[in-house]
Amino acid sequence: MDKLIITVAVCGAEVTRQDTPYIPLTPEEIAQQTYDAYLAGASIVHLHVRDQEGKPTQDAEIFKKVVKMIRERCADIIVQVSTGGAVWMSAEERLQSLQADPDMATLTTGTVNFGNDVFMNSMPMVERFASAMMERSIMPEFECFDMGHIANAMQLVKKQLVKGHLHFDFVMGVPGGIAANARNLVAMVDNLPDEATWSVAGIGRNEFTMAAMAIAMGGHVRVGLEDNIYISKGVLAKSNAELVEKVVRIAKELGRQVATPQEARQILGLRGNER
Ligand code: KMH
Ligand code: ZN
């Protein structure tokens, strides 16, 4: 088995200070929590940013600023910007994060209900996002909120709209998306081509059970306050690092070594951090 790549999803677009006082919102808070998570064992940061009021934004200048701050502190961490943004954002708005020159970017490959909202990703949009990433030599991570999203990603490969190593993230447990359970995870993995790598982001109380399954199955793991704000039942996590530390403990118990950012780059076929 490859070493374990841990992605930290530090703040997302939805979680507020009302939900948890520990969510990082300012560039300084996001960079500091990323650094602490990196020290704890995260090799990829999945990045959203917020405006001065703490609201989600895809503003290119804020992304550039936060990416710079993160790279100054965490030399070789893999920076993966979100192109998902928030449900109300236009495609144009969402694509702005690519201007921050990240290593990777998320590419959600289909539309999904998202609680009472709709996270819109029509195929023409997905194709446009894929081409924008390829033009900038940014590696996509296919975000699959449901089974059909894997088939859509493979359509992009067939049409040669994406090239290089294929890496998937299964976002499981979003109300409206695929449920987070073992049977669904096995089915998702069974639908991948052999050479692909994958990680799981279990949403809410599913975060650590899905992480344990992924660790045991040879997949990779995403955790963070974007996905889950609790370290255990009813107890708020005090930081993203605390969530990463728990994954590292589970991995250790299961005998799986954690990848450094350099090792993660090799596993994903990503070039070094010469950007
Ligand atoms: N905030 C969600 C609507 C991504 O980052 O690419 C979309 C999301 C996925 O978080
Ligand atoms: Zn996200």
Side-chain angles (χ1 to χ4, degrees):
M1 261 185 214
D2 282 331
K3 288 189 181 179
L4 175 69
I5 301 172
I6 301 175
T7 298
V8 62
V10 277
C11 67
E14 289 81 22
V15 177
T16 67
R17 279 273 151 80
Q18 277 70 53
D19 299 318
T20 173
Y22 305 111
I23 189 82
L25 298 178
T26 66
E28 174 57 34
E29 288 167 351
I30 292 172
Q32 188 57 40
Q33 284 222 24
T34 300
Y35 179 58
D36 293 338
Y38 163 80
L39 292 181
S43 49
I44 303 179
V45 56
H46 168 72
L47 193 63
H48 290 250
V49 295
R50 305 291 183 104
D51 66 14
Q52 284 189 334
E53 291 171 355
K55 298 208 183 81
T57 174
Q58 293 290 103
D59 183 274
E61 295 314 311
I62 302 180
F63 261 102
K64 283 181 197 170
K65 178 176 173 177
V66 178
V67 169
K68 184 165 180 283
M69 289 169 77
I70 288 173
R71 286 199 169 128
E72 278 167 5
R73 286 169 217 210
C74 321
D76 52 358
I77 198 166
I78 297 167
V79 175
Q80 176 195 90
V81 297
S82 169
T83 65
V87 286
W88 63 83
M89 292 175 179
S90 68
E92 215 62 61
E93 204 173 348
R94 284 166 53 181
L95 279 168
Q96 288 180 88
S97 58
L98 298 185
Q99 293 176 42
D101 202 18
D103 301 282
M104 297 178 82
T106 55
L107 177 56
T108 300
T109 48
T111 297
V112 64
N113 279 6
F114 198 82
N116 290 330
D117 297 306
V118 176
F119 181 32
M120 176 60 76
N121 298 283
S122 67
M123 277 318 278
M125 259 175 88
V126 174
E127 292 186 0
R128 181 174 164 209
F129 279 36
S131 301
M133 289 176 204
M134 290 299 111
E135 274 163 27
R136 292 173 176 269
S137 302
I138 296 168
M139 181 183 177
E141 175 180 273
F142 302 112
E143 302 297 309
C144 298
F145 289 71
D146 219 331
M147 191 71 79
H149 295 184
I150 297 175
N152 290 347
M154 295 316 296
Q155 278 298 317
L156 299 177
V157 177
K158 198 169 164 197
K159 288 177 142 179
Q160 299 193 330
L161 290 170
V162 291
K163 294 204 174 82
H165 179 74
L166 305 178
H167 183 64
F168 291 77
D169 181 46
F170 305 140
V171 185
M172 303 183 73
V174 167
I178 195 164
N181 60 49
R183 193 165 46 180
N184 285 346
L185 178 57
V186 170
M188 296 284 262
V189 175
D190 276 350
N191 273 278
L192 295 184
D194 289 345
E195 65 280 9
T197 50
W198 56 274
S199 68
V200 177
I203 303 302
R205 65 196 157 89
N206 304 299
E207 185 163 71
F208 293 109
T209 47
M210 297 313 294
M213 289 178 212
I215 293 167
M217 290 167 67
H220 302 282
V221 170
R222 175 175 122 177
V223 290
L225 293 172
E226 171 170 347
D227 299 337
N228 161 50
I229 59 174
Y230 294 101
I231 190 69
S232 57
K233 194 166 191 261
V235 182
L236 288 173
K238 292 203 168 50
S239 66
N240 279 283
E242 203 182 351
L243 297 168
V244 172
E245 283 162 7
K246 184 162 172 171
V247 174
V248 172
R249 284 200 301 278
I250 297 170
K252 204 170 168 192
E253 289 295 332
L254 296 178
R256 182 106 183 259
Q257 287 186 296
V258 174
T260 63
Q262 288 306 333
E263 289 166 339
R265 283 175 190 278
Q266 275 188 353
I267 294 165
L268 297 173
L270 261 177
R271 60 185 178 167
N273 187 16
E274 73 273 10
R275 281 171 179 275

